[in-house]
Amino acid sequence: MIYLDCAATSLQKPAAVRYAMTDAVRTMSSPGRGGYDSAMAAAGLVLDCRTALADMFCVSAPERVIFTGSATHGLNIAINSLVGPGDRVVISGYEHNAVWRPLYGIGADIRVAASPLFRPEKAVEAFRRMLPGARAAVCCQVSNVFGYILPVEEIGALCRRAGVPLIVDAAQSAGSVGLDFDGLGCAFAAMPGHKGLLGPQGTGVLLCREERPRPLMYGGTGSVSESVEMPDFLPDRLEPGTHNVPGIAGLLAGVEWLGRRTPAAALAHERELMAAFCDIVSRSPKIKLFRASDPDCQAGVVSLQVDGMDCEDVADRLAAQGIAVRAGLHCAPLAHQTAGTLRAGTVRFSFSPFNTFQEVRSAAEKLLDLAG
C-alpha cells in the first residue's frame, strides 16, 4: 500500500515508537502514585516528554504542556475555559468540526472571518475587522483540507492588541510548521500526538498559558487528594486519572526522532513530494488542483477534484490499486464552504517524512489513468 493519508494519521512511524511503547507496558506503572521503581520510571518519562515538547514549541515551563487524548480533547478544554453561552468568538473560515461543534454546543455567537484560499493578507484583514467585541478567537495554523498555512503570527498580534485570547489549532502543523508558543502569546495551542509528531493514536497535547483553565474532566491526580476541588496548578488541574504512559512513551520517541531530523526538514521533504505529485497530475486538464502559487503558503497537503468523477469514487478506485487517500469533507465543512467545494468535496493527498518520490510518482500516474 502507498499511504498518502498522513493528514488523518501517521500510519508510518519510527521503529523507536513501538519499541518505546512496548518497554513502557513492560516496565512502567502510574506516575505520581508511588515512590517505587516502576512508578518513578513512569514519572521520569512523562516529565521527559513534557520537556521535549516544551523545547520544540518554545514553552517556558514544562508544566504548561498538558497531555490529552487528542487535539479535539485539548480544543474542548481550551474553548470551555474561555467561552460561555452568547460569547462572541471569531474563527477562521478553515476550522475543523473540533472547533465548530464545541462552540455551537456551548451556544457561542460564532463569527467567521472568511477569506479566500491561499490569501493570508485577506485572512489578517478579516480578523482585523471582526475582532472588536470578541471574547475569544480560534485559528488553525494549517488547514487539514488544503494544507493552507494561515498567518497565525499576524493574527496573534492582532489578538494581543485587541486583548482577545487566541486558541491555535495546530492539528495539521505540529511536527512540520514551527510554532513559537511563548512568542505568539496565544492562550492555548492544541495538537494530536498521532499526526506530524509521529506518536500513537490516543495521544494529544495542549499548550496552556492560562493560569486557571477550566477542567473538562474531574478526578484523581495523585496530588492535593484531601480537596474536593481540582488542584489550582498545572499540569495536575487538567490531567485527572491515570496517564497513558505507553502512549506518552511512543509520543516521546516520535518527538525525539523529529528533533534529530528537525520539523523544518520534514516540511521541506513533504513539500518536495507534493510538488513532484502536482507536476505530474497537472498534465491532465481534467484534474483541478487546489495549490498555492506561493509555496510558503502550503504545507504537505493538497486537495483536488477530477472532472466528471465523484470524489469518493476516485478515492475508492485508488484504494483498489493500493493508494490510500481521503475523500469528502474531511470533518471540515466550513473550510469547503469557504473555498467553494462544499457540494462536491475534494480528494486529499497528504505526505509524510516516510513517503518516497517513487511512491508519489506511482500514485500520480494512477490518478492520471483514472482521469483519462
Side-chain angles (χ1 to χ4, degrees), residues 243-287:
H243 289 81
N244 176 8
V245 174
I248 293 170
L251 176 57
L252 175 58
V255 169
E256 289 177 336
W257 186 92
L258 274 171
R260 290 189 294 271
R261 180 184 173 89
T262 77
L267 177 61
H269 178 67
E270 291 163 19
R271 280 175 166 164
E272 289 170 357
L273 293 172
M274 183 179 68
F277 173 82
C278 291
D279 287 346
I280 295 171
V281 301
S282 62
R283 299 173 193 163
S284 172
K286 293 185 177 181
I287 296 176

Side-chain angles (χ1 to χ4, degrees), residues 9 23 28 59 73 85 107 132 137 156-157 165 175 196 236 251 261 272 307 329 349:
T9 194
D23 185 64
M28 297 181 189
V59 183
H73 180 189
D236 297 39
L251 176 57
R261 180 184 173 89
E272 289 170 357
D307 186 36
L329 299 183
F349 291 74

Side-chain angles (χ1 to χ4, degrees), residues 1-371:
M1 177 178 65
I2 298 175
Y3 186 77
L4 299 175
D5 193 20
C6 306
T9 194
S10 58
L11 180 64
Q12 300 148 307
K13 304 181 192 294
V17 171
R18 63 177 180 271
Y19 297 149
M21 295 180 71
T22 300
D23 185 64
V25 169
R26 185 177 61 84
T27 65
M28 297 181 189
S29 56
S30 295
R33 269 57 170 191
Y36 48 87
D37 288 350
S38 61
M40 295 303 292
L45 168 83
V46 170
L47 179 58
D48 287 347
C49 192
R50 280 193 218 281
T51 302
L53 288 160
D55 290 345
M56 177 173 282
F57 296 107
C58 304
V59 183
S60 58
E63 60 267 23
R64 295 188 177 277
V65 177
I66 310 301
F67 291 114
T68 62
S70 62
T72 298
H73 180 189
L75 286 166
N76 273 264
I77 293 173
I79 288 168
N80 279 274
S81 292
L82 296 178
V83 179
D87 285 346
R88 182 184 301 175
V89 181
V90 179
I91 67 175
S92 85
Y94 296 92
E95 298 308 311
H96 191 277
N97 277 341
V99 169
W100 183 269
R101 284 176 172 172
L103 290 172
Y104 179 83
I106 288 170
D109 175 12
I110 307 170
R111 304 292 179 93
V112 180
S115 60
L117 187 61
F118 303 128
R119 295 291 301 277
E121 75 285 357
K122 296 292 187 182
V124 173
E125 183 55 37
F127 270 90
R128 181 180 287 111
R129 289 196 309 270
M130 302 191 75
L131 277 176
R135 175 66 186 87
V138 189
C139 187
C140 58
Q141 190 173 19
V142 173
S143 164
N144 74 305
V145 179
F146 300 104
Y148 172 28
I149 301 176
L150 280 89
V152 294
E153 291 83 6
E154 292 88 344
I155 291 167
L158 290 176
C159 288
R160 291 195 301 273
R161 287 197 291 271
V164 176
L166 172 65
I167 300 169
V168 173
D169 178 359
Q172 214 58 63
S173 59
S176 56
V177 180
L179 175 66
D180 180 347
F181 181 73
D182 283 351
L184 185 58
C186 55
F188 296 95
M191 62 196 70
H194 68 96
K195 294 188 182 185
L197 295 178
L198 304 177
Q201 294 163 329
T203 60
V205 178
L206 179 67
L207 309 180
C208 179
R209 185 176 308 281
E210 293 289 297
E211 293 298 329
R212 286 180 57 84
R214 183 182 304 164
L216 194 64
M217 297 173 59
Y218 296 76
T221 58
S223 61
V224 199
S225 295
E226 69 279 7
S227 174
V228 296
E229 297 182 353
M230 290 296 289
D232 61 0
F233 54 87
L234 297 174
D236 297 39
R237 184 169 179 80
L238 297 179
E239 291 184 355
T242 299
H243 289 81
N244 176 8
V245 174
I248 293 170
L251 176 57
L252 175 58
V255 169
E256 289 177 336
W257 186 92
L258 274 171
R260 290 189 294 271
R261 180 184 173 89
T262 77
L267 177 61
H269 178 67
E270 291 163 19
R271 280 175 166 164
E272 289 170 357
L273 293 172
M274 183 179 68
F277 173 82
C278 291
D279 287 346
I280 295 171
V281 301
S282 62
R283 299 173 193 163
S284 172
K286 293 185 177 181
I287 296 176
K288 179 180 180 180
L289 283 166
F290 294 87
R291 187 182 184 188
S293 57
D294 178 359
D296 289 340
C297 285
Q298 193 167 11
V301 178
V302 66
S303 269
L304 56 83
Q305 295 171 332
V306 180
D307 186 36
M309 295 186 68
D310 179 79
C311 288
E312 299 282 358
D313 185 46
V314 172
D316 288 346
R317 291 172 68 177
L318 287 172
Q321 299 182 68
I323 312 295
V325 298
R326 185 173 177 186
L329 299 183
H330 316 96
C331 299
L334 179 60
H336 286 279
Q337 179 177 321
T338 302
T341 55
L342 183 61
R343 186 182 64 82
T346 60
V347 185
R348 184 185 68 188
F349 291 74
S350 49
F351 309 93
S352 89
F354 294 96
N355 287 129
T356 66
F357 286 96
Q358 182 178 351
E359 288 178 324
V360 165
R361 285 191 292 269
S362 178
E365 294 291 348
K366 286 181 169 60
L367 181 61
L368 284 179
D369 289 343
L370 283 181

